[in-house]
Amino acid sequence: MSRPSLEVADIFRDLGAAWRRANAGHVSLDQLKVMSAIERCRTAALGGHVARCENEKCAHTIIAYNSCRNRHCPKCQGAAAREWLAERETELLPVPYFHVVYTLPAAIRDIAYQNKAVIYDLLFKPRPRPLSQSQPIVSISALASASSRCCTPGAPR
């Protein structure tokens, strides 16, 4: 596979310092470490090794720089990610797939967080009609009473 003309590391090296200054105080230490690792990946900064042809007439030399091995680095983990995706694609059925995101109202998020099994059961139950045409699955009061039964010490379950 040929090297792309522009990589994330190139952008980080060219614009990273200015971006870090502009976003100082809004970027975590872990995020800064990832940026630094990607900037230094496969450069002389991380060291490397030299491979040279032993034939005196040829003496062809290749310098291979060490990788950062950071799990967020597209150079280091790109091949592993492509391999993982190819393996997952072999598991897919030949049918259309849909990504569904449920956004719960703020009033029930905390209750839902404490009662994940109940909520997942309700959300993933087979539906007789599309979600866009459905009535609310469960009322807030029903969730509140379920929460008090599940989370109150000594209460029947």
Side-chain angles (χ1 to χ4, degrees), residues 64-88:
Y65 295 113
N66 296 331
S67 65
C68 66
R69 299 179 52 107
N70 187 290
R71 69 184 180 121
H72 302 289
C73 178
K75 281 189 214 172
C76 295
Q77 304 306 327
R82 285 188 296 278
E83 186 178 305
W84 179 87
L85 185 58
E87 289 172 7
R88 298 297 74 76

Side-chain angles (χ1 to χ4, degrees), residues 100-124:
V100 179
V101 177
Y102 293 101
T103 303
L104 299 176
I108 63 171
R109 280 190 202 128
D110 290 337
I111 297 168
Y113 184 76
Q114 297 298 324
N115 297 280
K116 292 181 186 89
V118 173
I119 298 301
Y120 291 151
D121 183 53
L122 291 168
L123 292 175
F124 291 105

Side-chain angles (χ1 to χ4, degrees), residues 37-94:
I38 291 172
E39 288 171 350
R40 299 173 58 196
C41 187
R42 298 192 188 178
T43 66
L46 294 180
H49 53 278
V50 177
R52 183 171 290 127
C53 180
E54 292 178 359
N55 182 337
E56 290 180 18
K57 292 181 183 178
C58 176
H60 179 74
T61 302
I62 296 174
I63 299 173
Y65 295 113
N66 296 331
S67 65
C68 66
R69 299 179 52 107
N70 187 290
R71 69 184 180 121
H72 302 289
C73 178
K75 281 189 214 172
C76 295
Q77 304 306 327
R82 285 188 296 278
E83 186 178 305
W84 179 87
L85 185 58
E87 289 172 7
R88 298 297 74 76
E89 285 177 341
T90 63
E91 299 168 355
L92 295 175
L93 297 174

